[in-house]
Amino acid sequence: MRFDIITIGSATIDVFVKPAEREVAKHEGHLDVCYHIGEKVLIEEMAVETGGGGTNCAVAFARLGFKTGWLGALGDDMNADIVRKSLEKEDVAVLGKTIAGMTGYSVIMTGLHHDRSILAFKGVNDKLSTFPALNTSWLYCSSMLGRSYATLVRAVTHAKKKGVKCAFNPSMYLAKQGVAKLRPLLDCCDLLICNKEEAAALLGARIMTVRQMLRSLQSHAKLVIITDGPAGAYATNGYDYWFIKPRPIKVIETTGAGDAFASGVVAGLIMRNDMEFALRCGMAEAESKIQHVGAKAGLLSRQTLLREATQYKVKQEML
């Protein structure tokens, strides 16, 4: 089977909980939520969805009409069946292996100043050791740790030899390991997407402008995009510099926003190979997602994405 894109990354069950009572206070310059040890905390709202960077983006691509496969690890528990059935319902081919152990699981506390805190159990997500024939035009890579990271590097290296284009969206788990550690993966990237904090961690830099980080990272990946939440997103190919600003919308829940943005960008590049269009697609996808609870809720169809993408303006100039 020939795919338009295969995603490699984690799969989880996400449990969203909104505590009835929470005390938010600033501590050492950071907003924190405190609960007393031994206390029973009541929950106002609760929802159960599937998540994980690999499956989130796979569903996003499938809803946009791309023939999509997902490669990752599922446990031999009942949660694996939930993830597998949800992917099959979205017409995503499950290419991952069943591994003895528990499927990834997250508890996500929401309602915290329009943000959330996540308790993440990786389960078998870190134990992927093999990959099938990568018969695809694009490979989308999200964060993988442990044995799975080594497998990811081998898969990307193999894919590049076959002329497959590769996009990489690391999490802070990987970014803080630095450019030198991730060089085997970064040097295979056609597109690197990360947020501002991850970019700084990759470069080991505390004081750098976004443009400086773009220049540094572009020496590894052909195209680089750095997102900065409500401030917008920035991109370069080494010569041109693009900036897109989000619209003022009501934020409901942010889990999966980065995955939605990244998948929208890659989809835009597949459709038109135009960075301005790709950024508008990424912003439209992300803004739709953050108006819903759940990492996959609000992901758009192609028709809706193309309509919404026209609502944004992109600034372009020399880097």
Side-chain angles (χ1 to χ4, degrees):
M1 180 183 294
R2 177 73 180 180
F3 294 99
D4 296 314
I5 189 162
I6 292 174
T7 71
I8 305 180
S10 61
T12 66
I13 296 294
D14 288 346
V15 180
F16 295 84
V17 295
K18 184 177 181 180
E21 297 180 5
R22 52 203 175 276
E23 181 181 341
V24 180
K26 183 166 286 190
H27 177 68
E28 296 183 351
H30 190 276
L31 281 177
D32 295 317
V33 179
C34 180
Y35 296 106
H36 300 298
I37 294 175
E39 178 183 22
K40 180 179 288 187
V41 180
L42 295 178
I43 300 300
E44 281 183 348
E45 300 175 14
M46 177 176 172
V48 181
E49 308 286 349
T50 62
T55 69
N56 292 342
C57 292
V59 169
F61 291 125
R63 289 189 187 177
L64 292 171
F66 297 108
K67 197 167 189 62
T68 306
W70 167 72
L71 174 61
L74 291 173
D76 55 1
D77 54 0
M78 62 181 181
N79 286 334
D81 293 332
I82 296 172
V83 174
R84 186 178 291 106
K85 288 177 181 177
S86 71
L87 291 173
E88 292 171 349
K89 184 179 179 180
E90 297 280 359
D91 293 324
V92 174
V94 178
L95 308 176
K97 295 290 186 179
T98 297
I99 298 173
M102 294 181 65
T103 300
Y105 197 93
S106 295
V107 176
I108 304 167
M109 293 187 291
T110 66
L112 309 176
H113 286 239
H114 301 298
D115 210 331
R116 76 284 187 267
S117 293
I118 302 176
L119 305 176
F121 171 67
K122 301 298 288 183
V124 299
N125 279 312
D126 296 343
K127 298 181 180 180
L128 182 69
S129 59
T130 62
F131 58 91
L134 300 172
N135 191 15
T136 182
S137 299
W138 273 83
L139 197 63
Y140 176 92
C141 310
S142 60
S143 180
M144 301 288 270
L145 299 175
R147 187 185 307 165
S148 296
Y149 175 73
T151 303
L152 176 63
V153 172
R154 288 191 291 110
V156 169
T157 304
H158 173 73
K160 288 304 295 181
K161 291 178 180 178
K162 297 174 61 177
V164 176
K165 292 186 177 181
C166 296
F168 178 39
N169 181 17
S171 69
M172 187 58 78
Y173 295 126
L174 286 181
K176 65 184 181 182
Q177 297 184 27
V179 167
K181 177 74 172 180
L182 303 186
R183 187 181 296 275
L185 185 53
L186 292 172
D187 287 349
C188 290
C189 284
D190 294 277
L191 172 65
L192 171 65
I193 305 176
C194 53
N195 64 36
K196 188 176 178 181
E197 293 73 25
E198 291 162 352
L202 272 170
L203 296 168
R206 289 183 176 273
I207 304 176
M208 288 183 75
T209 67
V210 170
R211 288 198 186 211
Q212 288 172 331
M213 290 191 287
L214 286 170
R215 289 191 185 98
S216 296
L217 292 173
Q218 201 277 326
S219 64
H220 300 281
K222 295 177 182 177
L223 297 171
V224 179
I225 299 175
I226 296 177
T227 62
D228 191 13
Y234 313 81
T236 190
N237 57 6
Y239 304 98
D240 297 305
Y241 169 86
W242 293 271
F243 169 71
I244 186 170
K245 188 174 183 178
R247 296 175 295 179
I249 61 171
K250 182 178 180 181
V251 178
I252 301 300
E253 200 273 317
T254 61
T255 303
D259 295 333
F261 179 85
S263 58
V265 167
V266 174
L269 291 175
I270 294 174
M271 288 188 280
R272 296 190 188 177
N273 194 29
D274 177 84
M275 180 56 78
E276 179 178 334
F277 174 70
L279 286 171
R280 290 192 278 114
C281 289
M283 194 61 73
E285 192 78 274
E287 288 194 356
S288 178
K289 192 256 97 38
I290 62 178
Q291 295 178 76
H292 300 79
V293 174
K296 297 179 177 67
L299 294 176
L300 302 172
S301 66
R302 182 176 298 199
Q303 181 179 7
T304 305
L305 178 68
L306 293 175
R307 183 182 69 246
E308 291 298 313
T310 64
Q311 305 300 310
Y312 303 88
K313 292 183 179 180
V314 177
K315 178 181 177 182
Q316 181 178 358
E317 57 189 50
M318 295 296 293
L319 181 64

